[in-house]
Amino acid sequence: MLAKEIFRKILHILAFAGLIAWLYALDDWRHSVLIAACAIPVICPCLLLLSKIPGITEVFVARRRGEFAYSFFAYAMAYIVTSTVLWGFLGKRELVVASFFAWAPGDAAAALIGKTFGEHKIGILKKKSAEGSGAMAFFSFVAVLCVLTYFNLYSSFWTIVISLITAICTTVAELLDEKGLDTFFCPVTAMVVLSLFELILR
């Protein structure tokens, strides 16, 4: 079970790395967002067709048929929304990086630690654990802190405050999601927090 979860998270990390690379592939946010939007009706049907190949779901450890098509759609929509708001309207491409870092490392930690050590079940359907959510909050905080520090966007005090609040809100979003759409809701939740602080501290 743990080996399968590790493999799933490796796929997520590869997708995450590709997204960050795409974020810096173009200099105009409108072109970046437009191409991402055009990719959805092309790639999603291909992934759905691929999922119909016998055994492919088991090979790629998908939880249900068509999972990767739905995940790509959620991922692309999260990119479109966060890039439009943070990069397009606020002019802070770095905050798009922070919004996805608020989700990806924490999500991986939540899954791996939760499945290994998760004994205290929480959440609406009691499928998640306090241990996993704690790992999510910690790794999300560290990841956002590192991104904001690297780009030197705010003072040390506000960097810590923003990272902490972003991590808490993202963890709550992940905890409340029971349909596997944290790929969308977590980065967008982080976007809301980061955009509010950016507007306040300008």
Side-chain angles (χ1 to χ4, degrees):
M1 178 66 75
L2 183 59
K4 290 183 178 181
E5 196 62 42
I6 291 173
F7 181 71
R8 284 176 58 83
K9 294 311 169 186
I10 289 174
L11 294 178
H12 285 187
I13 289 170
L14 292 174
F16 173 69
L19 181 143
I20 299 300
W22 177 249
L23 179 63
Y24 285 92
L26 300 172
D27 291 327
D28 192 318
W29 71 271
R30 289 164 294 191
H31 296 161
S32 183
V33 166
L34 179 61
I35 294 173
C38 291
I40 293 175
V42 175
I43 295 179
C44 283
C46 292
L47 291 174
L48 283 173
L49 287 174
L50 187 64
S51 70
K52 295 183 182 298
I53 298 176
I56 199 73
T57 298
E58 290 74 20
V59 169
F60 287 97
V61 201
R63 291 185 178 135
R64 62 184 183 275
R65 179 170 291 183
E67 178 186 5
F68 291 114
Y70 299 125
S71 293
F72 178 82
F73 176 77
Y75 215 34
M77 289 304 300
Y79 178 80
I80 291 169
V81 173
T82 56
S83 293
T84 299
V85 174
L86 297 171
W87 183 11
F89 293 145
L90 297 180
K92 294 290 184 179
R93 179 159 42 176
E94 304 92 336
L95 291 182
V96 180
V97 178
S99 69
F100 278 93
F101 265 88
W103 163 73
D107 177 68
L112 297 177
I113 293 176
K115 288 186 180 301
T116 305
F117 305 105
E119 296 181 357
H120 302 88
K121 298 301 180 182
I122 57 176
I124 300 172
L125 301 179
K126 302 296 182 182
K127 289 184 177 180
K128 300 181 181 181
S129 68
E131 293 82 0
S133 292
M136 169 82 182
F138 175 76
F139 280 92
S140 179
F141 168 72
V142 172
V144 176
L145 183 69
C146 289
V147 171
L148 296 183
T149 300
Y150 176 80
F151 288 114
N152 195 29
L153 296 175
Y154 310 106
S155 67
S156 297
F157 171 77
W158 283 113
T159 295
I160 294 172
V161 171
I162 294 170
S163 300
L164 181 60
I165 295 176
T166 302
I168 292 171
C169 292
T170 306
T171 300
V172 171
E174 195 276 338
L175 180 62
L176 294 177
D177 172 59
E178 297 290 354
K179 296 185 178 180
L181 294 176
D182 56 309
T183 307
F184 174 80
F185 287 115
C186 287
V188 170
T189 297
M191 175 206 76
V192 172
V193 177
L194 293 168
S195 60
L196 287 175
F197 274 106
E198 174 62 21
L199 291 171
I200 291 170
L201 297 177
R202 267 189 172 181

